[in-house]
Amino acid sequence: MMDIDPPCRYIAAMTKTTNALASFFAAATLITACGTPPSNQPAVGNDDLPRGIILIVGDGMGSAHFTLARLLRGDDYHIGRLPHTALIGTASADSRATDSAAAATAYATGVKTNNDYVGVDSAGIPQTTVVEIAQQRGLATGLVTTAPFGDATPAAFAAHTRNRRDIATVAEQIVTSGVDVVASTGLEYFGVEGIPTLEQFARRGGYQAVSTAAELKAAETGPVLAVLPSGTLDSDSPEMPLAELAAWTMKRLAEDPDGFFLLIEHEGTDSASHANDMAALRTSLRSLDETVGTAMDFAEERGDVLLIVLSDHGTGGFQLAGKLGAQEDRFTSRDHTGEDVPLFAAGPGAEAFNGFMDNTEVGQLLLSLVRRPGG
């Protein structure tokens, strides 16, 4: 089959799902959309594009992780509510088994890069991210994670470096990036061993510093840097579960009439898999699915939000095994694995995410969606 570039893929997907093409595309759009869409021309009709995009990453989750989440949640499995699915190839530019830095960079920029690189291509050249384009268009932006905010996945959306482990540089770039809401864990790292206090660090980017649930709920209008106490193995903060943190952020960003882009990451699914800690994995899987439920309810109520749930790579070689009633689930490694991972989507634009896709195609579609004028 002939390769289809991302804008054409969007058209192809929408064409397969409706006969009312006239309401979706103008003739000129069909001509121009099969290349990179010019910045001043929409790829599709504005009425059919999302005004908000929520990207939820279950870090380190292979197919077996999603299966276990479904088994744990039963009828409450919210990920299963998303009607559109795809399978994502995850390799980085220099490894069949990607790391989170390269994988998140593919989602953030649509470009392959090497492991350990964030926000740059394999030559180390900075790439414009979907968050940066959203900001240029006046959209509100947010990064939410159960890890410290300088971790690889959020870093790829707002920082540019060849070394994901240069946390000082990454954190400085994020806090001066202009992202409206940055919410994470890692409070215990501030104000010790020569590191600035959270308040001092927040002032560098003009943020309100928040470290408790009460402070978050009382936060004034303006940029917010929320850093909560860490949970065990990057599980939910004991101060506030991810579902509540995500709900607050979604409501906050949705106040912007121009729209918003929000990344939400659960890092606990990856950390528990690295540690081969089954109990911690189950806890984080439940939290992730509860967060998806919160986002799905928010998106359905609004009707103009694209929700995407996916992973960046597998971790731990996790396997489901055993007879019914006698589970023998197990990990077979402590490392990342190179398998394809699932994607689930709902809302305006979700039809474009289907079949087999490379992780860069996901990123290119996100870029196409936030580049559209108007909306």
Side-chain angles (χ1 to χ4, degrees):
M1 180 181 294
M2 180 176 61
D3 289 341
I4 302 176
D5 69 16
C8 284
R9 188 178 190 122
Y10 190 96
I11 292 173
M14 296 294 284
T15 301
K16 288 190 295 184
T17 57
T18 180
N19 291 323
L21 282 179
S23 65
F24 286 95
F25 310 110
T29 299
L30 286 170
I31 294 171
T32 62
C34 290
T36 300
S39 59
N40 62 345
Q41 294 187 24
V44 293
N46 287 340
D47 291 343
D48 308 303
L49 288 165
R51 295 185 68 82
I53 298 174
I54 301 172
L55 180 67
I56 299 181
V57 179
D59 202 294
M61 289 180 60
S63 295
H65 290 78
F66 281 94
T67 304
L68 179 58
R70 175 176 59 79
L71 295 174
L72 290 172
R73 298 287 290 161
D75 291 342
D76 293 326
Y77 183 55
H78 295 296
I79 296 172
R81 294 166 57 190
L82 281 70
H84 300 281
T85 59
L87 192 64
I88 309 303
T90 61
S92 67
D94 65 347
S95 177
R96 186 163 64 174
T98 188
D99 73 345
S100 294
T105 297
Y107 292 148
T109 71
V111 174
K112 286 281 187 193
T113 196
N114 299 335
N115 287 0
D116 290 333
Y117 288 20
V118 292
V120 300
D121 66 14
S122 58
I125 300 171
Q127 302 294 303
T128 304
T129 73
V130 64
V131 164
E132 291 165 343
I133 292 174
Q135 290 172 322
Q136 292 169 10
R137 289 202 54 249
L139 278 64
T141 55
L143 303 173
V144 176
T145 177
T146 61
F149 66 82
D151 201 46
T153 299
F157 287 80
H160 307 274
T161 177
R162 294 186 183 195
N163 183 9
R164 61 176 285 186
R165 292 172 179 81
D166 184 0
I167 300 299
T169 296
V170 169
E172 182 77 21
Q173 289 187 30
I174 291 175
V175 84
T176 57
S177 67
V179 174
D180 295 285
V181 175
V182 178
S184 74
T185 63
L187 180 63
E188 61 276 12
Y189 299 116
F190 287 89
V192 297
E193 299 182 358
I195 298 174
T197 65
L198 178 61
E199 290 74 16
Q200 291 171 332
F201 203 78
R203 282 198 293 271
R204 297 180 183 180
Y207 285 95
Q208 302 169 69
V210 167
S211 59
T212 69
E215 290 176 353
L216 186 70
K217 294 172 183 177
E220 299 176 356
T221 301
V224 172
L225 175 63
V227 180
L228 307 177
S230 296
T232 303
L233 290 174
D234 295 313
S235 60
D236 289 7
S237 171
E239 183 66 27
M240 193 176 204
L242 181 61
E244 290 185 19
L245 190 59
W248 182 91
T249 307
M250 288 184 285
K251 182 178 179 181
R252 180 76 163 220
L253 298 184
E255 294 173 357
D256 191 316
D258 294 318
F260 67 92
F261 178 91
L262 171 61
L263 167 73
I264 301 172
E265 179 206 21
H266 206 304
E267 179 68 16
T269 48
D270 182 61
S271 296
S273 297
H274 278 297
N276 288 185
D277 190 320
M278 192 68 70
L281 175 61
R282 289 169 176 253
T283 295
S284 287
L285 288 173
R286 291 188 183 96
S287 169
L288 171 71
D289 192 59
E290 289 167 359
T291 302
V292 172
T294 297
M296 190 69 180
D297 290 345
F298 174 85
E300 288 179 340
E301 180 178 353
R302 282 182 57 99
D304 60 357
V305 172
L306 169 63
L307 173 61
I308 302 168
V309 179
L310 44 58
S311 176
D312 49 357
H313 54 75
T315 299
F318 179 60
Q319 296 179 346
L320 293 166
K323 297 180 180 180
L324 290 175
Q327 291 90 343
E328 297 176 2
D329 304 341
R330 56 180 175 260
F331 298 98
T332 61
S333 84
R334 293 182 182 270
D335 299 324
H336 292 179
T337 50
E339 75 261 34
D340 302 334
V341 296
L343 175 151
F344 305 83
E351 298 88 348
F353 298 87
N354 68 87
F356 179 81
M357 304 174 69
D358 188 73
N359 54 11
T360 56
E361 290 186 273
V362 175
Q364 290 161 17
L365 277 170
L366 291 173
L367 291 168
S368 178
L369 288 167
V370 299
R371 279 189 177 118
R372 83 284 189 271

